Short mmCIF file of all heavy atoms in Angstrom, two decimals:
data_model
loop_
_atom_site.label_atom_id
_atom_site.label_comp_id
_atom_site.label_asym_id
_atom_site.label_seq_id
_atom_site.Cartn_x
_atom_site.Cartn_y
_atom_site.Cartn_z
N ARG A 1 -9.87 4.16 -7.91
CA ARG A 1 -10.51 4.94 -8.98
C ARG A 1 -9.79 4.82 -10.32
O ARG A 1 -10.23 5.42 -11.34
CB ARG A 1 -10.60 6.37 -8.60
CG ARG A 1 -11.67 6.58 -7.51
CD ARG A 1 -11.52 7.94 -6.87
NE ARG A 1 -12.53 8.21 -5.84
CZ ARG A 1 -12.44 7.70 -4.60
NH1 ARG A 1 -11.48 6.92 -4.24
NH2 ARG A 1 -13.40 7.96 -3.72
N ALA A 2 -8.70 4.07 -10.38
CA ALA A 2 -7.89 3.98 -11.60
C ALA A 2 -8.72 3.32 -12.70
O ALA A 2 -9.34 2.26 -12.47
CB ALA A 2 -6.61 3.18 -11.32
N GLU A 3 -8.79 3.94 -13.86
CA GLU A 3 -9.62 3.44 -14.96
C GLU A 3 -8.79 2.63 -15.93
O GLU A 3 -9.32 1.74 -16.59
CB GLU A 3 -10.33 4.58 -15.67
CG GLU A 3 -11.34 5.26 -14.78
CD GLU A 3 -12.10 6.36 -15.48
OE1 GLU A 3 -12.02 6.45 -16.71
OE2 GLU A 3 -12.80 7.11 -14.78
N GLU A 4 -7.54 2.91 -16.05
CA GLU A 4 -6.67 2.15 -16.95
C GLU A 4 -5.87 1.12 -16.18
O GLU A 4 -5.43 1.37 -15.07
CB GLU A 4 -5.68 3.11 -17.66
CG GLU A 4 -6.39 4.25 -18.41
CD GLU A 4 -7.17 3.80 -19.62
OE1 GLU A 4 -6.97 2.63 -20.09
OE2 GLU A 4 -8.01 4.56 -20.08
N TRP A 5 -5.71 -0.09 -16.79
CA TRP A 5 -5.06 -1.12 -16.07
C TRP A 5 -3.60 -0.81 -15.71
O TRP A 5 -3.14 -1.16 -14.62
CB TRP A 5 -5.14 -2.48 -16.85
CG TRP A 5 -4.33 -2.47 -18.10
CD1 TRP A 5 -4.67 -2.17 -19.37
CD2 TRP A 5 -2.87 -2.80 -18.18
NE1 TRP A 5 -3.65 -2.27 -20.23
CE2 TRP A 5 -2.50 -2.65 -19.51
CE3 TRP A 5 -1.94 -3.20 -17.26
CZ2 TRP A 5 -1.20 -2.90 -19.99
CZ3 TRP A 5 -0.63 -3.39 -17.74
CH2 TRP A 5 -0.31 -3.28 -19.07
N TRP A 6 -2.93 -0.05 -16.57
CA TRP A 6 -1.56 0.27 -16.30
C TRP A 6 -1.39 1.26 -15.13
O TRP A 6 -0.44 1.18 -14.44
CB TRP A 6 -0.80 0.75 -17.55
CG TRP A 6 -1.42 1.94 -18.24
CD1 TRP A 6 -1.32 3.28 -17.87
CD2 TRP A 6 -2.33 1.91 -19.33
NE1 TRP A 6 -2.10 4.05 -18.73
CE2 TRP A 6 -2.73 3.21 -19.62
CE3 TRP A 6 -2.88 0.85 -20.10
CZ2 TRP A 6 -3.65 3.56 -20.66
CZ3 TRP A 6 -3.74 1.20 -21.15
CH2 TRP A 6 -4.10 2.52 -21.37
N THR A 7 -2.36 2.10 -14.98
CA THR A 7 -2.36 2.98 -13.83
C THR A 7 -2.57 2.20 -12.55
O THR A 7 -1.84 2.38 -11.56
CB THR A 7 -3.47 4.07 -13.98
OG1 THR A 7 -3.26 4.81 -15.23
CG2 THR A 7 -3.41 5.06 -12.82
N ALA A 8 -3.54 1.36 -12.58
CA ALA A 8 -3.83 0.50 -11.38
C ALA A 8 -2.61 -0.39 -11.09
O ALA A 8 -2.28 -0.56 -9.93
CB ALA A 8 -5.08 -0.35 -11.60
N ASP A 9 -2.01 -0.94 -12.12
CA ASP A 9 -0.83 -1.82 -11.95
C ASP A 9 0.31 -0.99 -11.34
O ASP A 9 0.99 -1.55 -10.40
CB ASP A 9 -0.43 -2.41 -13.29
CG ASP A 9 0.60 -3.48 -13.15
OD1 ASP A 9 0.34 -4.44 -12.36
OD2 ASP A 9 1.64 -3.39 -13.83
N GLN A 10 0.56 0.19 -11.79
CA GLN A 10 1.64 0.98 -11.20
C GLN A 10 1.38 1.36 -9.75
O GLN A 10 2.26 1.23 -8.91
CB GLN A 10 1.84 2.25 -12.06
CG GLN A 10 3.01 3.09 -11.49
CD GLN A 10 3.22 4.37 -12.33
OE1 GLN A 10 2.56 4.61 -13.29
NE2 GLN A 10 4.16 5.18 -11.85
N LEU A 11 0.14 1.76 -9.48
CA LEU A 11 -0.21 2.15 -8.10
C LEU A 11 -0.12 0.91 -7.16
O LEU A 11 0.37 1.01 -6.05
CB LEU A 11 -1.59 2.76 -8.06
CG LEU A 11 -1.69 4.15 -8.61
CD1 LEU A 11 -3.15 4.57 -8.74
CD2 LEU A 11 -0.93 5.17 -7.77
N ASP A 12 -0.58 -0.22 -7.65
CA ASP A 12 -0.54 -1.45 -6.87
C ASP A 12 0.93 -1.79 -6.54
O ASP A 12 1.25 -2.23 -5.47
CB ASP A 12 -1.26 -2.58 -7.62
CG ASP A 12 -1.72 -3.70 -6.70
OD1 ASP A 12 -2.28 -3.38 -5.65
OD2 ASP A 12 -1.46 -4.87 -7.03
N GLY A 13 1.78 -1.64 -7.58
CA GLY A 13 3.22 -1.89 -7.36
C GLY A 13 3.81 -0.97 -6.34
O GLY A 13 4.63 -1.37 -5.54
N GLU A 14 3.40 0.28 -6.36
CA GLU A 14 3.92 1.24 -5.37
C GLU A 14 3.47 0.84 -3.99
O GLU A 14 4.26 0.91 -2.97
CB GLU A 14 3.44 2.64 -5.69
CG GLU A 14 4.01 3.19 -6.99
CD GLU A 14 5.50 3.38 -6.97
OE1 GLU A 14 6.05 3.69 -5.89
OE2 GLU A 14 6.09 3.23 -8.04
N VAL A 15 2.21 0.45 -3.83
CA VAL A 15 1.71 0.02 -2.53
C VAL A 15 2.43 -1.25 -2.07
O VAL A 15 2.79 -1.36 -0.87
CB VAL A 15 0.18 -0.23 -2.56
CG1 VAL A 15 -0.33 -0.84 -1.24
CG2 VAL A 15 -0.53 1.11 -2.81
N PHE A 16 2.70 -2.19 -2.98
CA PHE A 16 3.47 -3.40 -2.64
C PHE A 16 4.83 -3.00 -2.12
O PHE A 16 5.31 -3.54 -1.10
CB PHE A 16 3.55 -4.34 -3.80
CG PHE A 16 4.42 -5.58 -3.50
CD1 PHE A 16 3.84 -6.56 -2.71
CD2 PHE A 16 5.67 -5.65 -3.96
CE1 PHE A 16 4.65 -7.69 -2.42
CE2 PHE A 16 6.49 -6.78 -3.70
CZ PHE A 16 5.94 -7.76 -2.90
N GLY A 17 5.50 -2.04 -2.79
CA GLY A 17 6.83 -1.59 -2.31
C GLY A 17 6.75 -0.96 -0.95
O GLY A 17 7.64 -1.16 -0.12
N TYR A 18 5.67 -0.23 -0.70
CA TYR A 18 5.45 0.39 0.61
C TYR A 18 5.30 -0.67 1.68
O TYR A 18 5.94 -0.63 2.72
CB TYR A 18 4.21 1.25 0.53
CG TYR A 18 3.78 1.88 1.83
CD1 TYR A 18 4.48 2.99 2.37
CD2 TYR A 18 2.64 1.43 2.53
CE1 TYR A 18 4.06 3.61 3.52
CE2 TYR A 18 2.24 2.07 3.68
CZ TYR A 18 2.97 3.11 4.19
OH TYR A 18 2.58 3.73 5.37
N GLN A 19 4.49 -1.70 1.36
CA GLN A 19 4.31 -2.80 2.30
C GLN A 19 5.65 -3.49 2.57
O GLN A 19 5.99 -3.80 3.71
CB GLN A 19 3.33 -3.82 1.78
CG GLN A 19 1.90 -3.37 1.78
CD GLN A 19 1.00 -4.49 1.22
OE1 GLN A 19 1.34 -5.14 0.25
NE2 GLN A 19 -0.14 -4.65 1.87
N SER A 20 6.38 -3.72 1.50
CA SER A 20 7.69 -4.42 1.65
C SER A 20 8.62 -3.61 2.53
O SER A 20 9.33 -4.20 3.39
CB SER A 20 8.32 -4.66 0.26
OG SER A 20 7.53 -5.48 -0.47
N TRP A 21 8.64 -2.31 2.33
CA TRP A 21 9.49 -1.43 3.16
C TRP A 21 9.07 -1.53 4.62
O TRP A 21 9.91 -1.65 5.52
CB TRP A 21 9.46 0.00 2.63
CG TRP A 21 10.07 0.92 3.61
CD1 TRP A 21 11.40 1.23 3.72
CD2 TRP A 21 9.43 1.68 4.66
NE1 TRP A 21 11.64 2.10 4.78
CE2 TRP A 21 10.41 2.39 5.35
CE3 TRP A 21 8.12 1.83 5.05
CZ2 TRP A 21 10.10 3.20 6.41
CZ3 TRP A 21 7.79 2.63 6.12
CH2 TRP A 21 8.80 3.34 6.79
N MET A 22 7.77 -1.44 4.88
CA MET A 22 7.28 -1.47 6.23
C MET A 22 7.61 -2.77 6.91
O MET A 22 8.06 -2.79 8.06
CB MET A 22 5.74 -1.30 6.27
CG MET A 22 5.26 0.05 5.76
SD MET A 22 5.48 1.40 6.95
CE MET A 22 4.12 1.11 8.04
N ILE A 23 7.47 -3.85 6.21
CA ILE A 23 7.76 -5.16 6.81
C ILE A 23 9.23 -5.35 7.02
O ILE A 23 9.67 -5.80 8.08
CB ILE A 23 7.20 -6.31 5.88
CG1 ILE A 23 5.64 -6.25 5.95
CG2 ILE A 23 7.70 -7.67 6.32
CD1 ILE A 23 4.95 -7.06 4.87
N ALA A 24 10.09 -4.96 6.04
CA ALA A 24 11.53 -5.11 6.15
C ALA A 24 12.11 -4.24 7.27
O ALA A 24 13.11 -4.57 7.82
CB ALA A 24 12.17 -4.74 4.81
N ASP A 25 11.44 -3.14 7.54
CA ASP A 25 11.94 -2.24 8.58
C ASP A 25 11.30 -2.51 9.94
O ASP A 25 11.27 -1.68 10.84
CB ASP A 25 11.67 -0.80 8.15
CG ASP A 25 12.68 0.20 8.71
OD1 ASP A 25 13.78 -0.20 9.04
OD2 ASP A 25 12.30 1.40 8.84
N ASN A 26 10.73 -3.75 10.09
CA ASN A 26 10.09 -4.14 11.35
C ASN A 26 8.96 -3.24 11.79
O ASN A 26 8.78 -2.97 12.96
CB ASN A 26 11.10 -4.30 12.49
CG ASN A 26 12.06 -5.44 12.17
OD1 ASN A 26 11.68 -6.49 11.65
ND2 ASN A 26 13.34 -5.25 12.53
N ARG A 27 8.21 -2.71 10.80
CA ARG A 27 7.11 -1.83 11.09
C ARG A 27 5.75 -2.49 10.71
O ARG A 27 4.79 -1.85 10.37
CB ARG A 27 7.27 -0.49 10.41
CG ARG A 27 8.45 0.28 10.95
CD ARG A 27 8.75 1.48 10.19
NE ARG A 27 7.78 2.49 10.53
CZ ARG A 27 7.86 3.77 10.10
NH1 ARG A 27 8.89 4.13 9.37
NH2 ARG A 27 6.97 4.65 10.41
N THR A 28 5.74 -3.83 10.76
CA THR A 28 4.56 -4.58 10.38
C THR A 28 3.36 -4.18 11.18
O THR A 28 2.29 -4.03 10.63
CB THR A 28 4.82 -6.11 10.57
OG1 THR A 28 5.99 -6.47 9.81
CG2 THR A 28 3.64 -6.92 10.08
N ASP A 29 3.53 -3.93 12.47
CA ASP A 29 2.41 -3.51 13.29
C ASP A 29 1.81 -2.21 12.86
O ASP A 29 0.58 -2.04 12.83
CB ASP A 29 2.78 -3.42 14.82
CG ASP A 29 3.11 -4.78 15.42
OD1 ASP A 29 2.67 -5.81 14.88
OD2 ASP A 29 3.78 -4.78 16.46
N GLU A 30 2.66 -1.31 12.39
CA GLU A 30 2.22 0.00 11.92
C GLU A 30 1.45 -0.19 10.63
O GLU A 30 0.39 0.44 10.45
CB GLU A 30 3.47 0.89 11.72
CG GLU A 30 3.05 2.31 11.37
CD GLU A 30 4.28 3.19 11.28
OE1 GLU A 30 5.32 2.89 11.89
OE2 GLU A 30 4.21 4.22 10.60
N LEU A 31 1.93 -1.06 9.74
CA LEU A 31 1.26 -1.29 8.48
C LEU A 31 -0.13 -1.93 8.79
O LEU A 31 -1.14 -1.46 8.22
CB LEU A 31 2.06 -2.27 7.62
CG LEU A 31 1.34 -2.72 6.35
CD1 LEU A 31 1.01 -1.60 5.43
CD2 LEU A 31 2.24 -3.77 5.63
N VAL A 32 -0.17 -2.90 9.66
CA VAL A 32 -1.46 -3.56 10.01
C VAL A 32 -2.42 -2.51 10.59
O VAL A 32 -3.59 -2.48 10.24
CB VAL A 32 -1.25 -4.72 10.97
CG1 VAL A 32 -2.53 -5.25 11.50
CG2 VAL A 32 -0.45 -5.84 10.25
N ASP A 33 -1.90 -1.66 11.45
CA ASP A 33 -2.73 -0.62 12.06
C ASP A 33 -3.31 0.30 11.00
O ASP A 33 -4.48 0.65 11.04
CB ASP A 33 -1.93 0.15 13.08
CG ASP A 33 -2.75 1.26 13.74
OD1 ASP A 33 -3.82 0.94 14.34
OD2 ASP A 33 -2.37 2.42 13.65
N GLN A 34 -2.50 0.71 10.06
CA GLN A 34 -2.95 1.58 9.00
C GLN A 34 -4.03 0.90 8.19
O GLN A 34 -5.07 1.53 7.85
CB GLN A 34 -1.80 2.04 8.10
CG GLN A 34 -0.86 3.01 8.77
CD GLN A 34 0.28 3.42 7.86
OE1 GLN A 34 0.42 3.02 6.69
NE2 GLN A 34 1.19 4.24 8.37
N LEU A 35 -3.84 -0.32 7.84
CA LEU A 35 -4.84 -1.06 7.03
C LEU A 35 -6.14 -1.25 7.76
O LEU A 35 -7.21 -1.15 7.18
CB LEU A 35 -4.25 -2.38 6.55
CG LEU A 35 -3.13 -2.28 5.50
CD1 LEU A 35 -2.57 -3.63 5.23
CD2 LEU A 35 -3.65 -1.62 4.23
N VAL A 36 -6.07 -1.54 9.06
CA VAL A 36 -7.27 -1.72 9.88
C VAL A 36 -8.03 -0.40 9.93
O VAL A 36 -9.27 -0.36 9.78
CB VAL A 36 -6.90 -2.19 11.34
CG1 VAL A 36 -8.06 -2.05 12.24
CG2 VAL A 36 -6.43 -3.65 11.26
N ARG A 37 -7.29 0.70 10.18
CA ARG A 37 -7.96 1.96 10.19
C ARG A 37 -8.60 2.36 8.86
O ARG A 37 -9.73 2.85 8.84
CB ARG A 37 -6.97 3.06 10.68
CG ARG A 37 -6.58 2.85 12.11
CD ARG A 37 -5.52 3.79 12.62
NE ARG A 37 -5.99 5.18 12.54
CZ ARG A 37 -5.27 6.27 12.72
NH1 ARG A 37 -4.00 6.14 12.91
NH2 ARG A 37 -5.80 7.44 12.70
N LEU A 38 -7.91 2.06 7.79
CA LEU A 38 -8.45 2.36 6.46
C LEU A 38 -9.58 1.45 6.04
O LEU A 38 -10.37 1.83 5.23
CB LEU A 38 -7.32 2.41 5.45
CG LEU A 38 -6.31 3.54 5.61
CD1 LEU A 38 -5.13 3.39 4.68
CD2 LEU A 38 -7.00 4.87 5.42
N ALA A 39 -9.63 0.28 6.63
CA ALA A 39 -10.74 -0.68 6.33
C ALA A 39 -12.06 -0.16 6.91
O ALA A 39 -13.11 -0.69 6.54
CB ALA A 39 -10.41 -2.06 6.89
N ALA A 40 -12.01 0.86 7.74
CA ALA A 40 -13.21 1.49 8.27
C ALA A 40 -13.40 2.92 7.72
O ALA A 40 -14.21 3.66 8.25
CB ALA A 40 -13.11 1.54 9.80
N ASP A 41 -12.69 3.25 6.68
CA ASP A 41 -12.74 4.56 6.07
C ASP A 41 -14.16 4.82 5.50
O ASP A 41 -14.91 3.93 5.13
CB ASP A 41 -11.75 4.70 4.96
CG ASP A 41 -11.43 6.12 4.54
OD1 ASP A 41 -10.58 6.74 5.21
OD2 ASP A 41 -12.10 6.60 3.61
#
């Protein structure tokens, strides 16, 4: 729902950091599971 590009860019960066943390901490399966569940939201 972000209307300004800088807001979307900041949120996207936060999500990328979240993904990076999940992957680096060997929680890739958990990240994939969350995305699969949210793809059916």
Side-chain angles (χ1 to χ4, degrees):
R1 290 165 178 77
E3 294 183 13
E4 303 294 341
W5 69 266
W6 55 83
T7 303
D9 190 52
Q10 180 179 359
L11 289 170
D12 202 47
E14 295 297 326
V15 172
F16 177 75
Y18 176 74
Q19 288 180 317
S20 297
W21 168 83
M22 295 283 282
I23 291 167
D25 209 24
N26 293 321
R27 294 175 74 173
T28 304
D29 291 342
E30 188 175 336
L31 173 62
V32 170
D33 179 58
Q34 288 180 2
L35 291 173
V36 167
R37 292 175 65 190
L38 291 172
D41 197 86

